[in-house]
Amino acid sequence: MFTHLLSLLIWLPIVGAVPVLLAGSARPNLARWLALLFMVLTFVASLFLLPQYDAAQGGMQLVESHLWIASLNVHYGLAVDGISVALILLTTFVGILVVVGAWEVIQNKPHQYMAAMLALEGVMIGVFCATDALLFYVFFEAMLIPMFILIGVWGGPRRVYATLKFFIYTFLGSVFMLIALLYLYHRAGTFDLHTLAALPLTFTEQMWIFFAFLLAFAIKVPMVPVHTWLPDAHVEAPTGGSVVLAAVMLKVGTYGMLRFILPIVPDAGEHYAWLVIALSLVAVVYIGYVALVQEDMKKLVAYSSVAHMGFVTLGIFIAFLLARGLGDVDTARLGMQGAMVQMISHGFVSGAMFTCIGVMYDRLHTRQIKDYGGLINVMPWFGFFYVLFAMANCGLPGTSGFVGEFMVILASFKANPWIAFFAAFTLIIGAAYTLWLVKRVLWGEIHNPHVAEMKDINGRETFVLLAFAALTVALGIWPEPLIHLMDSSVTQVVQQLAIHKI
């Protein structure tokens, strides 16, 4: 089993989607239970990664390699390091909560909805395991299909517009990535990522490849100015789609930067690090102000995601300034660790925030902030969870939202105090838009008679929110296990930055 554990994690949910789909609309409960069964089995299988992966050793482990397309020297190559393991665990954990969260909510073709979720989970795990660039690209593109279906079928009134915008943006970036991969294959004769990392490239070659990769992954993160598809996709997506999109799919962009930009084009990465840092700071500061004026709760949290993911890209590229510009590998490691912790934390917090919005929408069928007010009076338990996740979104110490951001700010200060100043500014603007949201939704008197009729969270919703809350608090109080899991892998990534190809 352990020999092919990674293949099991990828294909178990994908194969599981078939019986769920065959259950048909005539047996919706059977489809739901089968979907939950396969999600739980995948999560249990992913837990075996922890004893099987040697965190102290780091590097790529649990390697699987089989010749896939002999004429092109393409391999079905899989392996994981500590960063991959953390992201796979996040994916399988969120998968269970998405299925439970949609149990009663999705009444239209629930078997197709659950099957799409299972297929999406499988290909996302494939992205985090692939060590062959072409295999990575296949999984990277395959993610679009189930998400396209989820938004297009179960989305809101403008779902067709949002779906097409999401698809066109992401697919356009992928075309540039494919061109870069084909050029690298022409030079190296293989798509193996380890071989591509050792391939000598001139600065001109690195520059073109850097911008091709950057465009593909920046759209996925998303970074300013290619972020405009995200708010539309979130607003129109069903709750489960928004949760998976925010909690896992956005991480594929930053993960791609780690696997492609840093090792393959390190010199171009160093030369243009200022550009990514500047765009990250724009996301952190300017997008925070954009979030402040939103009247739709989902749009507000979507823009908040852009700002928080700006911390991840900042932590990754600040490492270039520290490791190669100042020769400070330890602080570069701190910034990179902060970026990785922020990725996992954002998965919990953003997923929880969208779940909370879904709970309210299921009862009142509106996401407009002005339609609420005084919700704490009729939904006290929901109010407790909502405030907790709002505090984590602000970066309150003791929650997961604080840990990664604090580490990135510390590393940024060593590189340049002004970068740290603007990065820390998000703690102020983030608190502004989040607390103002909470004030208008939860506190005060009830003015809408429909709000007065709303019922507090049920057992199913409590389970989902409690699971998110437990990990948000646990990671905030005791981040050491997660940092230890990723530490050796982060160290090796930072050491790669010191390699010059020209």
Side-chain angles (χ1 to χ4, degrees), residues 64-294:
E64 295 180 38
S65 183
H66 309 281
L67 190 62
W68 180 23
I69 307 173
S71 59
L72 297 176
N73 192 26
V74 178
H75 286 74
Y76 173 79
L78 306 175
V80 290
D81 63 359
I83 300 166
S84 306
V85 171
L87 288 167
I88 291 170
L89 288 169
L90 171 67
T91 305
T92 57
F93 173 78
V94 169
I96 295 175
L97 301 187
V98 165
V99 168
V100 174
W103 200 267
E104 298 168 2
V105 177
I106 301 297
Q107 295 295 329
N108 175 35
K109 303 174 183 173
H111 62 296
Q112 295 180 9
Y113 178 90
M114 298 299 180
M117 278 296 179
L118 282 164
L120 181 58
E121 176 168 302
V123 293
M124 288 191 299
I125 293 172
V127 166
F128 298 135
C129 295
T131 56
D132 184 278
L134 189 63
L135 182 65
F136 177 94
Y137 183 80
V138 169
F139 284 130
F140 187 79
E141 288 297 277
M143 288 191 304
L144 292 179
I145 300 169
M147 184 54 75
F148 184 93
I149 294 170
L150 286 167
I151 301 175
V153 176
W154 293 276
R158 298 176 72 242
R159 60 185 179 275
V160 175
Y161 167 77
T163 305
L164 288 174
K165 191 174 182 180
F166 160 69
F167 187 87
I168 291 169
Y169 263 75
T170 312
F171 189 72
L172 178 66
S174 303
V175 169
F176 288 96
M177 177 185 174
L178 180 60
I179 293 169
L181 291 179
L182 290 175
Y183 179 81
L184 288 168
Y185 174 77
H186 173 72
R187 286 290 314 276
T190 180
F191 286 104
D192 177 64
L193 285 176
H194 182 72
T195 305
L196 296 181
L199 181 68
L201 296 166
T202 66
F203 181 78
T204 303
E205 289 175 313
Q206 288 192 46
M207 178 190 72
W208 287 108
I209 294 169
F210 171 82
F211 282 111
F213 284 152
L214 181 64
L215 183 61
F217 297 130
I219 290 173
K220 210 72 166 183
V221 172
M223 294 178 66
V224 176
V226 288
H227 66 285
T228 57
W229 65 268
L230 184 67
D232 292 312
H234 270 310
V235 167
E236 300 305 322
T239 299
S242 288
V243 171
V244 172
L245 182 60
V248 183
M249 281 190 74
L250 303 189
K251 314 304 177 289
V252 171
T254 46
Y255 180 80
M257 291 178 180
L258 289 176
R259 292 289 178 252
F260 287 83
I261 293 179
L262 270 62
I264 297 175
V265 288
D267 302 298
E270 178 192 15
H271 188 78
Y272 293 106
W274 64 268
L275 173 64
V276 182
I277 290 170
L279 292 175
S280 300
L281 292 176
V282 169
V284 166
V285 179
Y286 166 69
I287 297 298
Y289 280 109
V290 174
L292 199 59
V293 299
Q294 299 305 314

